Amino acid sequence: MWTWKSWVNSANTPETDFPLQNLPCGIFRETDGNPRMGIAIGKFVLDLQRCNHAGLLEGLSENVRAACEQPSLNDLIACSASGWSSLRRRLAELLRTEADPTHRRKTEAALLPIASVALLKPVQIGNYTDFYASIHHATNVGRLFRPDQPLLPNYKFVPIGYHGRTSSLVVSGTDITRPNGQTKASNSDLPRFGPTSALDYELEVGAYIGKGNPLGEQISLEHAEEHLFGISLVNDWSARDIQTWEYQPLGPFLSKSFVTSISPWVVSMDALAPFRVAMPARPVGDPAPLSYLSSVVNQNIGAIDMKLEVLLSSASMRSAGSAPMLLSSGNLRDLYWSFAQLVTHHTSNGCNLLPGDLLASGTVSGAEEGTQGSLLEMTRRGTQPICLPSGELRSFLEDGDEIILRGYCKKEGFPRIGLGECRGRIIPAPFLSS
Amino acid sequence: MWTWKSWVNSANTPETDFPLQNLPCGIFRETDGNPRMGIAIGKFVLDLQRCNHAGLLEGLSENVRAACEQPSLNDLIACSASGWSSLRRRLAELLRTEADPTHRRKTEAALLPIASVALLKPVQIGNYTDFYASIHHATNVGRLFRPDQPLLPNYKFVPIGYHGRTSSLVVSGTDITRPNGQTKASNSDLPRFGPTSALDYELEVGAYIGKGNPLGEQISLEHAEEHLFGISLVNDWSARDIQTWEYQPLGPFLSKSFVTSISPWVVSMDALAPFRVAMPARPVGDPAPLSYLSSVVNQNIGAIDMKLEVLLSSASMRSAGSAPMLLSSGNLRDLYWSFAQLVTHHTSNGCNLLPGDLLASGTVSGAEEGTQGSLLEMTRRGTQPICLPSGELRSFLEDGDEIILRGYCKKEGFPRIGLGECRGRIIPAPFLSS
């Protein structure tokens, strides 16, 4: 299947995120239509409801076909991994150049240009956990606040994470309202309430849980990958000034919960298989993970070699017709903890994961300059602003700024497998009446 | 209505939590039956589906009657406050001594002894937030960890809270599996993984959100009470040794997410009206709340005068036929922040609350000895164990221990309005294979 081409020409170009080998799932809506399930192929979305009605999914199990008629991916996610894999294989057969001509005609009738539909939140996410799995991010941030001890003593043992807010998860393209909140200037005795002046993005990748686990039963590292359905981009928008004032002792709360953006397409673990690589070697002197977080398989292929990019476009840049500016470029393989380790740690206390739960990586940053996944790190907490092509300076985000996250895997001999984009544009804070 | 009596005799006794004036909602199941909605009256549950089928709810709006047929309270909660109030008034008419005899006969046919049914999780909770609203609890805990600065500088300005885990919310009566986790002894260089040896309860009260708010729009303090549906007991089980090692810098995670218990009955804000009291006066020198968290009405009736009790029964005590021991007794009115303030703060950044979301108070402790809502506080982090009637000592919970939370309002001239009980019994940690 990795050498196949598609009769959808836009799926065969080197720059597409969505070749025949990707087939990410999502939920879309035509103008005034109902939400329906689709998969992305080149510049098109294939309508799975229409495919099913046209008899193109015959031979697949009843529950997979029924799941394809649903307005969210949850039922599909709740099917077994072999269920999703069988659907993906079937769709690849329909879309490959060697497809049966009758099938091809019916399949063509179920294609819609992605540009013509609205992409919706793909999953009803019951629980959202945000981790802190990049040691470079943790070190960069720690250095700003605790120069003498950037990394806390637990970091190399505990995959640190916290529960995020699910109600304010929104799909890419949703406007981001600048939040109000309490902040306290270091030279003031009293806090004040008003719009954040330190609005930031966080470049993250999130994994959707496929099969869950019963309350009280841990998922061992050996089996953790079987519980992953697929991944997407996540932008964990953050108000740094609110965060600084509120986070002791129970962690970030309103500085994060105003909104979190997710990309519309969920790329399956199957599609990422060729890009699995070894975990980064732990530096000499670092402890080995405790045994429940350690396995040879995880060490050898626990990571994903995926390029991640952040771009910014300001209102002035758009007016001037400038292209978005690349702010940074990192790689998902740099994480200190793999998604499998995050699953195992999360359930190590018996906590139950449910199908469709989202586990985000935390900000993905690398060790070098230009690989940091947040403005907090890039501008050293706002003290070293970035200069945009328009001549504007940015310490943190301004109203009108748009942030675009991208992620893709690229490797000689394989088509590019991408996550698509996750976009969000800042709009002004609501007016305060008193 | 506050002077009415019921023809259900057990609803007229001074010790019942469920007089005619309470009528809390819940979800129950008869042996092998489907989940159905009911309200508690004395020692009985009134089956609302049966009431509706018998025509007893005629005159109520279509959506309220449809909500009564659902297997969770969510649809009822999503109805307007006038919808819930109309249902409660209608049920009080059916259950009062002066009820129409035909109606009474039909209503009697819809009563089942509470003891004969299983009580289920009443609400599908989309989002669960746990606050830290008791200044006495925050001070008691802070003193154990930071004797020189028990209370952090933000406490008197920010209603501190964090997102909790929803998947592991369970109803009262569910066994509590002792969690495994990472802990690090102060005299050891390395952490270890295994069962917690510092398992604790936290006595809390949770408020269910009725009407939600759109993303990006704050709920002002003036309108916050309109967004509360009702309250229940919450036991936020905690593993203190896991918490100590994991909580920096993102807050509690696996030390809490293994399980949280909620009581089965939701008591409406209407039923609590006679017990609303002034917020405790802030000590001289304390700052006033910022203006968005301040109102005269909240100051005058923001608190709820409700007695809260924790009882413990060990396996030996039960074998010996001993009654549970009262560990502590506090009052909900002692909170530093009201539920209305919690709602307003939670939405102050534009975060959207959904119908059925749960906002818990955090551990409710008072200023005096005997009013602390956790063992951490009572035993001074395990250093001053409690002696049980069996002669056993308790620093933290042992396998076989059962914790019982109770809450009730009592006032001259009014029937007692209670929350019922929230129970959980500790069972051993799962066996670790390696």
Side-chain angles (χ1 to χ4, degrees):
Chain A
M1 171 171 163
W2 284 97
T3 57
W4 293 1
K5 295 283 177 192
S6 175
W7 48 260
V8 179
N9 290 327
S10 58
N12 302 322
T13 60
E15 72 276 10
T16 185
D17 275 350
F18 308 132
L20 184 67
Q21 289 76 12
N22 192 347
L23 304 184
C25 311
I27 300 293
F28 71 95
R29 182 168 53 200
E30 291 183 275
T31 321
D32 300 327
N34 291 323
R36 295 205 300 282
M37 194 179 300
I39 58 103
I41 176 80
K43 294 183 173 174
F44 294 85
V45 53
L46 179 64
D47 179 338
L48 296 191
Q49 186 181 74
R50 222 173 284 187
C51 287
N52 193 30
H53 292 184
L56 292 169
L57 304 185
E58 269 166 33
L60 296 180
S61 75
E62 195 55 53
N63 62 345
V64 170
R65 284 161 57 197
C68 290
E69 302 262 346
Q70 295 302 309
S72 88
L73 301 185
N74 291 66
D75 282 9
L76 181 63
I77 286 175
C79 294
S80 65
S82 65
W84 326 321
S85 295
S86 65
L87 174 65
R88 194 163 154 275
R89 275 197 308 274
R90 177 69 183 155
L91 297 172
E93 291 283 1
L94 295 171
L95 290 162
R96 69 188 290 204
T97 38
E98 293 80 0
D100 170 279
T102 319
H103 285 170
R104 174 175 164 169
R105 266 195 306 280
K106 290 182 182 175
T107 306
E108 264 181 310
L111 284 181
L112 297 156
I114 291 180
S116 73
V117 302
L119 296 172
L120 308 180
K121 206 154 86 168
V123 179
Q124 297 308 313
I125 298 165
N127 298 270
Y128 161 45
T129 306
D130 197 15
F131 283 92
Y132 199 53
S134 162
I135 194 168
H136 306 298
H137 171 67
T139 307
N140 292 340
V141 171
R143 194 174 287 133
L144 296 170
F145 293 86
R146 294 176 306 272
D148 49 329
Q149 190 196 31
L151 212 58
L152 293 170
N154 56 11
Y155 190 87
K156 293 175 180 174
F157 295 99
V158 180
I160 297 290
Y162 70 102
H163 307 294
R165 178 84 191 171
T166 58
S167 70
S168 53
L169 287 161
V170 301
V171 74
S172 171
T174 307
D175 282 340
I176 306 303
T177 304
R178 178 180 298 275
N180 290 307
Q182 276 195 42
T183 57
K184 194 177 93 58
S186 53
N187 59 359
S188 167
D189 281 346
L190 291 176
R192 55 178 288 279
F193 183 78
T196 174
S197 54
L199 185 56
D200 201 356
Y201 59 83
E202 290 198 336
L203 164 66
E204 305 197 10
V205 171
Y208 287 97
I209 296 300
K211 187 171 59 169
N213 62 304
L215 186 64
E217 294 184 18
Q218 178 176 10
I219 298 172
S220 70
L221 189 57
E222 184 188 351
H223 292 290
E225 287 268 350
E226 300 160 22
H227 292 262
L228 298 175
F229 175 77
I231 66 172
S232 289
L233 292 162
V234 175
N235 187 339
D236 177 32
W237 305 95
S238 300
R240 300 302 180 186
D241 44 3
I242 298 174
Q243 189 173 355
T244 304
W245 176 230
E246 76 168 359
Y247 90 105
Q248 294 273 23
L250 300 186
F253 180 46
L254 301 189
S255 54
K256 304 277 194 174
S257 65
F258 56 98
V259 74
T260 304
S261 302
I262 52 177
S263 57
W265 298 109
V266 184
V267 172
S268 69
M269 299 312 288
D270 285 353
L272 298 167
F275 308 99
R276 301 304 297 267
V277 292
M279 297 287 291
R282 290 194 164 204
V284 176
D286 274 16
L290 295 193
S291 65
Y292 77 102
L293 291 174
S294 180
S295 82
V296 174
V297 173
N298 182 69
Q299 183 53 47
N300 288 346
I301 57 162
I304 302 170
D305 181 11
M306 171 176 279
K307 195 126 175 188
L308 297 170
E309 296 174 347
V310 184
L311 299 96
L312 184 149
S313 127
S314 73
S316 316
M317 287 167 66
R318 290 191 301 276
S319 302
S322 309
M325 173 192 179
L326 183 69
L327 286 185
S328 71
S329 172
N331 196 305
L332 187 59
R333 67 184 296 173
D334 288 339
L335 295 182
Y336 199 76
W337 301 104
S338 69
F339 282 112
Q341 286 170 317
L342 300 185
V343 164
T344 294
H345 182 64
H346 204 320
T347 61
S348 65
N349 66 345
C351 180
N352 52 333
L353 301 180
L354 302 179
D357 282 355
L358 183 65
L359 272 55
S361 58
T363 309
V364 183
S365 294
E368 290 88 38
E369 205 57 38
T371 61
Q372 302 105 327
S374 70
L375 283 177
L376 178 69
E377 294 163 81
M378 289 185 71
T379 69
R380 308 290 188 277
R381 209 176 172 182
T383 59
Q384 300 176 22
I386 292 164
C387 187
L388 306 184
S390 53
E392 299 167 285
L393 293 178
R394 283 294 177 275
S395 296
F396 289 105
L397 297 172
E398 301 287 339
D399 293 346
D401 286 354
E402 182 169 55
I403 289 292
I404 306 154
L405 308 183
R406 291 181 186 151
Y408 55 90
C409 299
K410 222 171 160 176
K411 183 176 165 181
E412 190 61 36
F414 287 88
R416 166 179 161 135
I417 300 289
L419 301 182
E421 288 185 343
C422 185
R423 286 176 179 258
R425 190 178 293 185
I426 313 301
I427 61 173
F431 175 72
L432 291 174
S433 54
S434 63
Chain B
M1 172 171 163
W2 285 98
T3 56
W4 294 359
K5 296 281 177 192
S6 175
W7 48 259
V8 179
N9 290 327
S10 57
N12 302 323
T13 61
E15 73 276 10
T16 185
D17 276 348
F18 308 132
L20 185 67
Q21 289 76 10
N22 191 348
L23 303 184
C25 312
I27 301 294
F28 71 96
R29 183 167 51 202
E30 292 183 275
T31 321
D32 299 327
N34 291 322
R36 294 204 302 281
M37 194 179 300
I39 57 102
I41 176 79
K43 295 186 173 172
F44 294 85
V45 52
L46 179 64
D47 179 339
L48 295 191
Q49 187 182 73
R50 223 173 285 186
C51 287
N52 193 29
H53 291 184
L56 292 169
L57 305 184
E58 268 165 35
L60 297 179
S61 74
E62 195 55 53
N63 61 346
V64 170
R65 285 162 56 197
C68 290
E69 302 263 346
Q70 295 302 310
S72 87
L73 301 184
N74 292 67
D75 282 9
L76 181 63
I77 286 175
C79 294
S80 66
S82 65
W84 326 322
S85 294
S86 65
L87 174 64
R88 194 162 155 276
R89 274 196 308 273
R90 177 68 182 154
L91 297 173
E93 290 284 358
L94 295 171
L95 290 162
R96 69 188 291 206
T97 37
E98 292 80 1
D100 169 281
T102 319
H103 285 167
R104 173 175 166 171
R105 267 195 307 279
K106 290 182 181 173
T107 306
E108 266 184 307
L111 283 182
L112 297 155
I114 291 181
S116 75
V117 302
L119 296 172
L120 309 179
K121 206 155 86 168
V123 179
Q124 297 308 313
I125 298 165
N127 298 269
Y128 160 46
T129 306
D130 196 15
F131 283 92
Y132 199 51
S134 162
I135 194 166
H136 306 297
H137 171 66
T139 307
N140 291 341
V141 171
R143 194 175 287 132
L144 295 170
F145 294 87
R146 295 176 306 273
D148 49 330
Q149 190 196 30
L151 211 58
L152 293 170
N154 56 10
Y155 189 87
K156 292 175 180 172
F157 296 97
V158 181
I160 298 289
Y162 70 101
H163 308 294
R165 177 84 191 171
T166 58
S167 69
S168 52
L169 288 162
V170 301
V171 73
S172 170
T174 307
D175 283 340
I176 306 304
T177 304
R178 178 180 298 274
N180 290 306
Q182 277 194 40
T183 56
K184 193 175 95 57
S186 54
N187 60 359
S188 166
D189 282 345
L190 293 176
R192 54 178 288 281
F193 183 78
T196 176
S197 53
L199 185 56
D200 201 356
Y201 60 85
E202 290 197 337
L203 165 65
E204 305 197 9
V205 171
Y208 287 97
I209 296 299
K211 187 171 61 168
N213 62 304
L215 186 64
E217 293 182 20
Q218 179 176 10
I219 298 172
S220 70
L221 188 57
E222 186 189 348
H223 293 289
E225 287 267 350
E226 300 159 22
H227 293 262
L228 298 175
F229 176 76
I231 66 172
S232 289
L233 292 162
V234 175
N235 187 339
D236 178 31
W237 304 95
S238 301
R240 302 299 181 188
D241 44 2
I242 299 174
Q243 188 173 355
T244 303
W245 175 232
E246 77 169 359
Y247 90 104
Q248 294 273 22
L250 300 186
F253 180 46
L254 301 190
S255 53
K256 303 278 193 172
S257 64
F258 56 98
V259 74
T260 304
S261 302
I262 53 178
S263 58
W265 298 109
V266 183
V267 172
S268 69
M269 299 312 288
D270 284 352
L272 299 166
F275 308 98
R276 301 305 295 269
V277 292
M279 297 287 292
R282 289 192 165 206
V284 175
D286 274 17
L290 295 193
S291 65
Y292 77 103
L293 292 175
S294 180
S295 83
V296 174
V297 173
N298 182 71
Q299 183 53 46
N300 288 345
I301 57 161
I304 302 168
D305 181 12
M306 172 176 276
K307 193 126 179 189
L308 297 169
E309 296 174 346
V310 185
L311 299 97
L312 184 150
S313 128
S314 72
S316 316
M317 287 166 67
R318 290 191 299 276
S319 301
S322 309
M325 173 192 179
L326 183 70
L327 287 184
S328 71
S329 172
N331 196 305
L332 186 60
R333 69 184 295 171
D334 287 340
L335 296 182
Y336 199 75
W337 302 103
S338 69
F339 283 112
Q341 286 171 316
L342 301 184
V343 164
T344 294
H345 182 64
H346 203 319
T347 61
S348 65
N349 67 345
C351 180
N352 53 333
L353 301 180
L354 302 179
D357 282 356
L358 184 65
L359 271 56
S361 58
T363 309
V364 183
S365 294
E368 291 88 38
E369 204 58 36
T371 62
Q372 303 105 328
S374 69
L375 282 177
L376 177 70
E377 293 163 81
M378 290 184 70
T379 69
R380 309 289 188 275
R381 210 177 173 181
T383 59
Q384 298 176 23
I386 291 164
C387 187
L388 306 184
S390 53
E392 300 167 285
L393 293 178
R394 282 294 178 275
S395 296
F396 290 104
L397 297 172
E398 301 287 338
D399 294 345
D401 285 355
E402 182 168 53
I403 289 292
I404 305 154
L405 309 183
R406 291 182 186 152
Y408 55 92
C409 299
K410 221 171 163 177
K411 183 176 165 181
E412 190 61 35
F414 288 88
R416 165 179 162 135
I417 300 289
L419 301 182
E421 288 185 340
C422 186
R423 286 176 180 258
R425 190 178 293 186
I426 313 301
I427 61 172
F431 176 70
L432 292 173
S433 53
S434 64

